[in-house]
């Protein structure tokens, strides 16, 4: 009697087994269905509209070769992908939909395990959320970063340099013509963004979680070694079926601990916080927002990468790779956390070496002593907010200044360059209505461009506060993921232009210096309320009615947890 899940569909002499086999044969031999060979889904997020993942179809072929070689049956399965730069209003609105459709299709189909092919920002998080909820053996093959672009002799980092160059244009330091000339140099090859943005971060963090073949994350998309790693991943997933090595055995509080330490050491994207919390929620882990501060805040920054530093992802690979970074912080990692290899993460680090200390700093000489994400609370963010000190201006981490408030990103764009806007470098820009419910979907708008008149005076950073997210490639003293969001009754909706805002990152405080009694009787203005989204149908309506706060992962409340992989009722 086969123990394979797929055998429930294929093995037997009855009419249903006949139907399942007959429609799937199409050239496959009879022993593909005798319950001895695991059926491996290869979940592929490639699409012409997900340009960072287009090459994953080639990667899928290498996975399939490995699966075949190990005796499995590879089944490539297109799943929803999200092109971060394209989809409106924001890819984050669709992360949970991508996770839900993938979860349901994995559960509905006769597969024993899944290889997850992702890259662009939301794809690896949605794949991991789905696999965690279904509970069949799974591993990730990250699509890898693109090669570094160059423009006029200098490296060009996608994302980060777009923000920098466009600020230069607005500040008068670069012509529009030169700006546009850099466009064709930015995306040089297949792969995802080459800065330490969300895609790079999530590929590396997935390895720290134990869900990637150790040493594979960060391999550039065009590098032949990515295909070799994909091939080996195909072999490994077949073994994992025999070992019943499911995601809940790999993704544990111990591996979340490792992911948080790694996130800090690489100066990774703030978006990883909301994604890791969502993945933890699927598995019922205790990991919380405060763990990012508790476990990560004192971890040193070891990679000199955009947006916090100078280099790009193929430099990390050349300099020794992610494992060389992990080796530097090995004593901070949980030694018990398993990987999909069946062995702990720390067991794989002995051979790691750093070949370029300008890219990966030794632990004794970090780029910053304490680089992890800080979690702030106070009268402006009772449920928490986060800041990434490694991407901020140190002098602004303690600041008191008057608020300049915007009710929406449209309001912001309409007024920010108005010469009459009362704003100076001490002002605190506040943007609200950008949380999961308010926008909807929590877009990456928190790193608001600075007012033109201040840019022209050479100001390059200001304190900015928002209930949305920011791109992992962005930088600045930006306080984001404010909870509760303005659309969920948060005090952010009550702040008025001119109120004094007090930020003290060392004390982990974010306050509005208004008498609590006065704040308690304030109500959001009509303009504030009118700026909030009220979708009336479709996914957006479902999303707004069920999305949880950023501080718990912005998942849908009915998707938290797992349903397992059992489906007993037949379709005919
Ligand atoms: Fe796809 Fe940056 S746009 S990873």
């Amino acid at each position: 009697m086969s123990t394979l899940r797929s055998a429930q569909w294929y093995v037997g002499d009855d009419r249903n087994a006949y139907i399942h086999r007959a429609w799937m044969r199409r050239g496959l031999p009879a022993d593909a269905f005798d319950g001895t060979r695991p059926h491996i889904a290869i979940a592929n997020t490639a699409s012409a509209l997900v340009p960072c993942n287009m090459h994953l179809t080639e990667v899928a072929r290498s996975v399939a070769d490995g699966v075949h070689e190990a005796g499995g049956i590879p089944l490539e399965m297109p799943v929803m992908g999200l092109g971060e730069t394209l989809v409106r209003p924001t890819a984050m609105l669709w992360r949970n939909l991508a996770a839900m459709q993938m979860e349901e299709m994995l559960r509905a189909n006769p597969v024993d395990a899944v290889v997850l092919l992702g890259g662009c920002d939301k794809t690896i998080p949605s794949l991991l959320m789905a696999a965690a909820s279904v509970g069949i053996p799974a591993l990730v093959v990250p699509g890898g970063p693109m090669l570094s672009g160059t423009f006029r002799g200098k490296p060009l980092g996608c994302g980060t340099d777009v923000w920098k160059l466009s600020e230069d244009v607005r500040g008068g330091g670069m012509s529009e013509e030169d700006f546009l000339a850099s466009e064709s140099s930015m995306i040089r090859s297949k792969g995802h963004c080459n800065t330490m943005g969300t895609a790079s971060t999530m590929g590396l963090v997935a390895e720290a979680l134990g869900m990637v073949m150790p040493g594979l994350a960060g391999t550039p998309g065009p590098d032949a070694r990515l295909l070799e790693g994909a091939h080996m991943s195909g072999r490994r997933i077949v073994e994992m079926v025999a070992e019943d090595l499911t995601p809940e055995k790999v993704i544990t509080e111990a591996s979340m601990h490792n992911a948080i330490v790694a996130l800090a050491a690489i100066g990774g994207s703030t978006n990883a916080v909301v994604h890791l919390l969502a993945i933890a929620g699927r598995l019922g882990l205790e990991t919380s927002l405060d763990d990012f501060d508790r476990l990560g805040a004192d971890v040193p920054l070891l990679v000199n990468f955009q947006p916090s530093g100078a280099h790009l992802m193929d430099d990390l690979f050349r300099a020794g790779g992610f494992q060389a970074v992990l080796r530097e912080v090995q004593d901070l990692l949980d030694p018990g956390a398993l990987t999909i290899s069946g062995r702990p993460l720390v067991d794989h680090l002995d051979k790691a070496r750093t070949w370029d200390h300008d890219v990966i700093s030794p632990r004794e000489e970090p780029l910053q002593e304490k680089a992890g994400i800080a979690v702030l609370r106070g009268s402006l963010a009772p449920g928490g907010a986060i800041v990434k000190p490694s991407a901020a201006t140190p002098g602004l981490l303690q600041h008191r200044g008057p608020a300049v408030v915007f009710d929406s990103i449209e309001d912001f764009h309409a007024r920010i360059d108005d010469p009459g806007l009362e704003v100076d470098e001490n002002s605190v820009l506040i943007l609200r209505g950008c949380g999961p419910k308010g926008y909807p979907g929590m877009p990456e708008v928190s790193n608001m461009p600075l007012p033109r008149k201040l840019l022209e005076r050479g100001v390059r950073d200001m304190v900015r506060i928002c209930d949305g997210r920011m791109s992992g490639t962005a930088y600045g003293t930006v306080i984001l993921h404010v909870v509760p969001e303005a659309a969920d009754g948060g005090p952010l909706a009550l702040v008025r232009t001119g109120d004094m805002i007090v930020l003290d990152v060392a004390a982990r405080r974010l306050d509005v210096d208004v008498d609590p009694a006065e704040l308690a009787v304030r109500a959001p203005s009509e303009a504030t309320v009118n700026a909030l989204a009220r979708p009336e149908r479709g996914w957006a309506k479902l999303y707004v009615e069920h999305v949880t706060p950023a501080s718990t992962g912005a998942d849908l409340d009915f998707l938290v947890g797992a349903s397992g992989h059992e489906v007993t009722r037949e379709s005919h």
Side-chain angles (χ1 to χ4, degrees), residues 13 18 26 71 159 173 190 231 235 263 283 344 358 368 431 515 539:
D13 298 329
Y18 170 104
R26 303 178 195 252
K190 51 187 156 186
H231 189 118
R235 283 192 198 167
L263 177 65
L283 290 161
D358 189 50
Q368 266 186 38
L431 175 58
D515 184 340
W539 172 256

Side-chain angles (χ1 to χ4, degrees), residues 101-115:
Q101 68 89 34
M102 160 96 173
E103 174 186 342
E104 298 298 343
M105 287 305 99
L106 281 179
R107 188 176 293 121
N109 276 294
V111 294
D112 299 297
V114 59
V115 176

Side-chain angles (χ1 to χ4, degrees), residues 151-152 156 161-169 174-184 186:
F151 181 59
R152 299 188 176 160
L156 206 53
D161 277 325
V162 180
W163 317 131
K164 283 204 169 119
L165 298 180
S166 69
E167 295 281 87
D168 284 349
V169 173
M174 185 184 206
S175 73
E176 194 116 348
E177 195 184 355
D178 283 354
F179 175 64
L180 292 175
S182 71
E183 179 183 310
S184 57
M186 176 113 349

Side-chain angles (χ1 to χ4, degrees), residues 52 84-85 120-121 192-193 199:
C52 305
E84 187 68 28
T85 51
C120 198
D121 292 18
H192 60 63
C193 288

Side-chain angles (χ1 to χ4, degrees), residues 50-53 82-86 119-123 144-146 158-159 187 191-195 197-200 444 471 473:
V50 189
C52 305
N53 293 14
L82 294 162
E84 187 68 28
T85 51
L86 296 178
C120 198
D121 292 18
K122 305 300 176 293
T123 52
M146 62 183 88
C158 38
I187 308 301
H192 60 63
C193 288
N194 53 19
T195 43
T198 306
S200 301
E444 294 182 335
S471 164
T473 61

